[in-house]
Amino acid sequence: MDGAAAAFSVILPDRALRIENLGMTQAAIPDAAIRVRNVSHQFGEVGEARHVRALLNTSLDIARGELLCLIGPSGCGKSTLLNVMGGLFTPTTGAVTVGTTPVHGPMPHDIAFIFQESALFPWNTIFENMILGMTFQGVPKSEREDRARRALEAVGLDEFAAHYPSQLSGGMRQRAALARALSLETQILLMDEPFGALDEQTRMVLGEDLSVLLSRSKKTIVFVTHSLGEAVFLADRVAVFSARPGTIKEVITVDEPHPRKPEFMTSAKFHRLRDQLYGLLHEEIRKSMSQSAKPKRAYEDQAKGDS
Amino acid sequence: MSSPRRKFKDRFASRLVQVGFLVVVLLLWYLATTRWGVNKLLLPNPLNVWDQLADVIRKGEYLNDLRITLTELAVAFVISTVSGTLLGYAISRSPYLIKVFEPLFAGIYSIPIILFLPLYVLFFGLGPASKIALGTTISFFPVVLSTIAGFGNVDKVLVTAARSMGASDYQLFRFVLVPAALPVILSGLRMGFTVALLSVIGSETIASLAGLGHRIVNLAENMDMARMFAYIVFVIAIAASLNTVVSVLEARGRRQR
Amino acid sequence: MSAAVPTHAGIRLQQYLWRHPGIARLGVVLMLFAVWEIAARWFVDPMFLSPPSKVLFAFGDVLATRGVPAALRVTFFELAVAFAIAVVIGLVVGLAVGLSKFGNRSVMPIVLLLYGIPQITILPIFILYFGIGPASKIAFGVTHGMFPIVMAVVAGVQNIKPILMVSARSMGASHWQLLRYVIYPHMIPSFFSGMRLGMTGVLLGVLLAELYVSTAGIGYFTSVFTQNFDPTKLLGLVAILAAMAIVLNEFVRRAEVHFARWRD
């Protein structure tokens, strides 16, 4: 893997080049925040019952400061790709670089994660959760409380600092998870269907908040979702996945400045883009539904495989 | 990710640890009695124990004790199963009754019921009746508690759906309530069986005239160590096979509901 | 519960009981005691059963019987020591087995095998090895109490939601930090429920051994009272022991509730 990564840093100079990838092309982006090159990933071994080819020869560049949505049918490997980007899985083949660093494991100083279920530690209060995240990351003790408070204020949870996660609603828990990620002050946020378990109204509000936050913070965000509306509303670009083994079928640009207003959702542009996405996805969703049922969440497989 | 080869090695190594544990225990036992001169009255030679076990089985000497123990067990388990499931079902029909009785049973269950044994001996004597009484009392609680939990926690949606399709009371019971509650009840029955077995053998050990527990104590008092160990092995084997049978029945019951 | 003629007061009582199932439960218990009282007073030979009213007034007598307070102290001592040893063994073995996947796979079946053995069959061996004093009771209590604790600790270490571990790793947690801040706090509630089950086991083991043979503990007095056909004192002693068991169980249960308060 080291060799491959080193090779890429040589092959990829800072100019746009086109990558041949299953007949489709994507522009390489100069000075990208994250580069994904020819990543394939499979769970289990060939011939085993739990063998799954999750991701097939995928390449993608994510520009600094953009919000990129990954969208696709269930089990298509979009979460797998996110985990590979963040160094939580080592891909079977291929390589990821963040800035100029090849990714070989978690990069807590560059990348913060937000997961679908709140990954808050249930035995700690919201505030303790903030502190603990920064402890893990290695933030000096003197700075932690201050940063925790600021992050909680940014998501409007400062009054709930002393609550336990179980005392909050799902939406508030995800806000808290967002605050914890923000307190880590990384340039990159990887969000794995963060609003997936929430009701429609809550996710709309959180989506608006996220758009505002993005326009302020200039963070690079990769956001996995299965909601067409959410993808169009939030993303600068939407990468559409094919059915399993997943790879990127097409990337659509949403040319609309942040912060986005709710009115955007009723505009003709929004509907055109949404319909375009639906057209791209529809066939893949049918394909994936006819595949084996019950896709497991990728990290569960991974955790069972190597913990 | 671990390769299949490494996984195989891993599995092999863990089997090795398990088999090794048994081998080492037997070996230590053997060496202790033959080489290190441990008193035969404390630890008999395993080969002697083996001979005695063969003798016990060949002569059929165990038959009477086994019959008594199994009869006590069967009577106790049947009584507690019938009373526990009927009472549990009756209570489970009303959330109010659940609130009244469930904590009561759970509370009594949390005290060590073995304490009642002297009372039962006083009341029912040293014969099988006191063993049956203790076995019934102890196994009643897991059965009744699991029956209440099983029937009490059936998903309301299932009941509503069946009613909406016109299910009669009997159909509701037979095709919705029983299948939904069965896994919980069956594991309660299995637990009831296990504790009934333990309490029957336990009360035979403490105060009795016959039965497998009594036999072991009798041999201990006569310092007939090799034969006592043989009986212990025998009883453990019987208990293990009974528990296995019950587990298999439980699994089958779950599948066939 | 429904009166034949629903009077006003009857309806009020019914409504009150409906709102307070605890009171109704108390009523059920009192009714059972009443049945016992009536049975013991008029229907059963007083050689075998005493009415609860008599037992209630006999507590003083029981405690005044020579040797009984000392026997209770001995039994309490046996329970406490056995519980402490079972907790230490359970925690150490549980952590050793639970923290390593290999340890879990190779040793856990052995633990389950040993736990499955009906220990009551080897009680005579315990007496033989440890004598008829407190040592054998403690040993028997330990072997009954430690297995549930081992299994609870193993479960507590292993049943962590994978996402919490992944999330901690993504924030840069070291192995030590995972142990200290994720695995340890996650294990605590199941450790305490293991201790509750362990306490049940210790009570069972110690009392079994006491009842089997005893020269100084309560087992001695239960057999004396039984042989003397003195149901009043026997019931009194059993009630005292049951109360002791309830207090010990409740103590551990409270601790469990306290340490698991973050769970919803």
Side-chain angles (χ1 to χ4, degrees):
Chain A
M1 219 68 74
D2 275 19
F8 276 120
S9 57
V10 178
I11 305 169
L12 294 171
D14 278 348
R15 64 183 165 76
L17 64 95
R18 306 187 82 76
I19 307 149
E20 302 305 320
N21 183 2
L22 296 176
M24 66 143 282
T25 55
Q26 277 165 40
I29 297 171
D31 188 31
I34 305 172
R35 285 184 205 283
V36 178
R37 284 297 172 271
N38 307 319
V39 165
S40 298
H41 193 69
Q42 58 182 35
F43 294 102
E45 303 294 330
V46 180
E48 272 181 55
R50 62 187 208 99
H51 170 71
V52 173
R53 280 161 69 202
L55 205 54
L56 190 67
N57 202 27
T58 300
S59 299
L60 181 67
D61 280 1
I62 293 130
R64 289 186 193 279
E66 82 167 325
L67 195 158
L68 181 113
C69 270
L70 302 176
I71 195 167
S74 321
C76 69
K78 49 196 196 297
S79 291
T80 306
L81 178 59
L82 199 76
N83 288 317
V84 167
M85 284 181 190
L88 297 182
F89 299 176
T90 305
T92 313
T93 58
V96 177
T97 48
V98 165
T100 53
T101 322
V103 174
H104 293 302
M107 307 183 74
H109 293 278
D110 301 288
I111 295 174
F113 266 93
I114 296 161
F115 300 94
Q116 168 167 19
E117 323 155 46
S118 109
L120 299 168
F121 301 107
W123 45 82
N124 291 127
T125 62
I126 299 302
F127 196 73
E128 288 165 350
N129 263 286
M130 307 280 139
I131 300 289
L132 195 52
M134 286 183 273
T135 310
F136 289 159
Q137 197 200 30
V139 174
K141 210 170 187 163
S142 51
E143 289 177 32
R144 289 179 204 157
E145 297 210 351
D146 211 37
R147 269 163 71 164
R149 244 174 234 116
R150 263 186 288 141
L152 281 175
E153 270 166 36
V155 300
L157 277 183
D158 31 339
E159 280 173 35
F160 296 92
H163 285 58
Y164 283 94
S166 60
Q167 297 170 311
L168 301 186
S169 69
M172 284 158 91
R173 277 205 290 268
Q174 285 309 79
R175 268 178 209 274
L178 179 61
R180 188 171 68 177
L182 291 177
S183 75
L184 299 175
E185 296 183 356
T186 57
Q187 269 311 303
I188 300 172
L189 285 184
L190 300 183
M191 308 176 82
D192 189 359
E193 299 190 32
F195 310 146
L198 307 178
D199 62 86
E200 184 73 28
Q201 281 104 6
T202 310
R203 62 195 295 169
M204 266 164 55
V205 172
L206 287 183
E208 284 168 34
D209 292 355
L210 189 63
S211 177
V212 172
L213 191 95
L214 176 67
S215 63
R216 277 201 220 130
S217 70
K218 303 289 175 225
K219 282 186 196 295
T220 307
I221 300 179
V222 183
F223 189 108
V224 171
T225 181
H226 53 242
S227 155
L228 298 169
E230 196 169 73
V232 176
F233 183 76
L234 286 175
D236 297 305
R237 292 192 301 153
V238 183
V240 183
F241 269 73
S242 69
R244 201 160 61 210
T247 192
I248 292 166
K249 193 178 173 185
E250 191 155 340
V251 179
I252 290 175
T253 304
V254 181
D255 188 13
E256 175 80 17
H258 286 282
R260 291 175 185 167
K261 300 266 155 36
E263 296 84 72
F264 175 51
M265 255 185 269
T266 51
S267 69
K269 181 154 90 180
F270 185 90
H271 283 282
R272 186 171 43 74
L273 286 164
R274 223 187 79 109
D275 293 346
Q276 189 188 349
L277 269 186
Y278 184 65
L280 284 166
L281 268 176
H282 182 255
E283 178 193 344
E284 301 301 329
I285 291 170
R286 287 243 170 253
K287 240 188 261 170
S288 98
M289 282 172 75
S290 63
Q291 285 171 351
S292 62
K294 274 200 180 176
K296 267 197 175 151
R297 291 197 65 77
Y299 48 77
E300 282 178 9
D301 256 18
Q302 178 77 2
K304 274 174 199 144
D306 70 1
S307 69
Chain B
M1 294 254 106
S2 46
S3 68
R5 204 187 152 73
R6 217 189 95 200
K7 251 182 224 163
F8 175 76
K9 265 187 173 168
D10 235 36
R11 216 167 287 166
F12 182 73
S14 55
R15 281 283 167 278
L16 202 68
V17 171
Q18 286 151 27
V19 174
F21 173 78
L22 292 176
V23 170
V24 167
V25 167
L26 284 174
L27 199 69
L28 286 179
W29 181 5
Y30 182 75
L31 288 176
T33 52
T34 54
R35 296 287 161 84
W36 305 332
V38 174
N39 190 340
K40 277 203 170 54
L41 287 178
L42 288 180
L43 193 66
N45 184 318
L47 296 177
N48 267 350
V49 173
W50 181 253
D51 289 343
Q52 291 290 334
L53 184 61
D55 189 58
V56 166
I57 292 172
R58 198 171 47 238
K59 285 192 181 150
E61 161 196 278
Y62 62 88
L63 276 171
N64 194 40
D65 290 317
L66 182 65
R67 191 178 50 78
I68 290 170
T69 302
L70 289 185
T71 312
E72 291 163 351
L73 172 66
V75 175
F77 184 60
V78 167
I79 297 176
S80 62
T81 299
V82 172
S83 58
T85 47
L86 289 181
L87 194 60
Y89 178 72
I91 289 170
S92 75
R93 291 305 82 208
S94 144
Y96 177 73
L97 288 181
I98 293 178
K99 269 190 264 174
V100 173
F101 283 100
E102 205 264 358
L104 182 65
F105 290 143
I108 301 174
Y109 189 38
S110 77
I111 62 176
I113 294 167
I114 186 77
L115 275 174
F116 297 165
L117 181 61
L119 298 172
Y120 286 168
V121 170
L122 180 63
F123 213 86
F124 297 105
L126 287 170
S130 57
K131 280 88 218 167
I132 292 170
L134 188 77
T136 306
T137 314
I138 291 188
S139 59
F140 168 78
F141 290 98
V143 174
V144 76
L145 285 169
S146 68
T147 308
I148 294 174
F151 283 119
N153 293 332
V154 175
D155 194 344
K156 293 266 180 323
V157 175
L158 296 179
V159 176
T160 314
R163 286 281 187 217
S164 77
M165 292 182 274
S168 67
D169 281 354
Y170 168 75
Q171 284 170 327
L172 190 71
F173 178 75
R174 169 66 190 81
F175 298 108
V176 181
L177 296 182
V178 169
L182 204 58
V184 182
I185 297 174
L186 284 175
S187 68
L189 289 178
R190 178 172 46 75
M191 240 174 97
F193 182 84
T194 309
V195 294
L197 176 61
L198 288 179
S199 50
V200 163
I201 297 179
S203 47
E204 282 176 357
T205 304
I206 290 167
S208 67
L209 304 169
L212 292 170
H214 177 77
R215 173 71 73 168
I216 291 173
V217 171
N218 205 5
L219 290 164
E221 279 163 4
N222 294 333
M223 292 307 228
D224 192 350
M225 286 302 119
R227 211 167 179 80
M228 180 187 84
F229 269 70
Y231 260 101
I232 288 173
V233 172
F234 180 71
V235 173
I236 288 174
I238 296 276
S241 9
L242 285 176
N243 284 334
T244 309
V245 168
V246 170
S247 294
V248 168
L249 288 178
E250 184 198 353
R252 185 173 294 180
R254 268 168 204 262
R255 257 182 287 120
Q256 286 187 349
R257 60 189 154 127
Chain C
M1 220 150 284
S2 55
V5 185
T7 60
H8 188 62
I11 290 169
R12 285 260 300 273
L13 178 67
Q14 225 171 355
Q15 283 173 345
Y16 180 79
L17 288 179
W18 188 256
R19 277 195 309 272
H20 299 90
I23 303 291
R25 195 180 311 132
L26 196 66
V28 171
V29 173
L30 289 177
M31 226 147 71
L32 289 175
F33 274 102
V35 170
W36 173 8
E37 179 82 31
I38 291 163
R41 268 185 194 279
W42 289 293
F43 296 98
V44 184
D45 188 336
M47 285 250 286
F48 298 110
L49 190 65
S50 297
S53 54
K54 223 171 135 191
V55 174
L56 195 65
F57 291 113
F59 279 138
D61 280 358
V62 174
L63 290 173
T65 307
R66 246 186 79 156
V68 166
L72 285 171
R73 273 199 298 278
V74 168
T75 303
F76 186 79
F77 167 77
E78 289 162 356
L79 288 170
V81 175
F83 183 64
I85 298 175
V87 167
V88 171
I89 295 181
L91 191 59
V92 170
V93 174
L95 285 178
V97 171
L99 285 177
S100 119
K101 202 163 188 185
F102 180 75
N104 184 37
R105 220 182 5 241
S106 55
V107 180
M108 210 48 198
I110 299 176
V111 172
L112 289 172
L113 182 79
L114 294 178
Y115 189 32
I117 290 178
Q119 292 188 39
I120 181 68
T121 57
I122 53 173
L123 176 54
I125 302 180
F126 274 76
I127 305 296
L128 198 64
Y129 289 179
F130 296 98
I132 52 176
S136 58
K137 281 83 180 183
I138 291 171
F140 207 54
V142 169
T143 57
H144 274 80
M146 65 186 190
F147 288 107
I149 303 177
V150 170
M151 300 214 289
V153 171
V154 169
V157 169
Q158 301 226 318
N159 295 347
I160 299 176
K161 275 203 305 183
I163 190 150
L164 294 179
M165 297 288 278
V166 171
S167 154
R169 279 209 302 142
S170 80
M171 293 186 283
S174 64
H175 277 288
W176 162 247
Q177 284 174 325
L178 284 178
L179 203 62
R180 166 69 188 81
Y181 293 108
V182 185
I183 296 173
Y184 168 74
H186 179 271
M187 182 206 68
I188 285 297
S190 49
F191 174 50
F192 273 90
S193 49
M195 284 210 280
R196 188 168 44 77
L197 295 174
M199 177 57 89
T200 309
V202 167
L203 280 163
L204 179 66
V206 168
L207 291 173
L208 273 172
E210 272 289 341
L211 294 176
Y212 176 61
V213 59
S214 172
T215 50
I218 51 89
Y220 172 71
F221 286 97
T222 53
S223 52
V224 166
F225 294 152
T226 309
Q227 278 150 21
N228 294 348
F229 291 98
D230 192 347
T232 315
K233 279 190 174 174
L234 181 57
L235 279 164
L237 183 58
V238 168
I240 291 169
L241 288 169
M244 195 201 273
I246 290 169
V247 168
L248 287 171
N249 276 332
E250 186 61 16
F251 180 72
V252 181
R253 202 188 58 80
R254 290 260 167 103
E256 184 190 357
V257 169
H258 177 78
F259 282 100
R261 64 190 182 284
W262 50 267
R263 289 208 280 212
D264 28 22

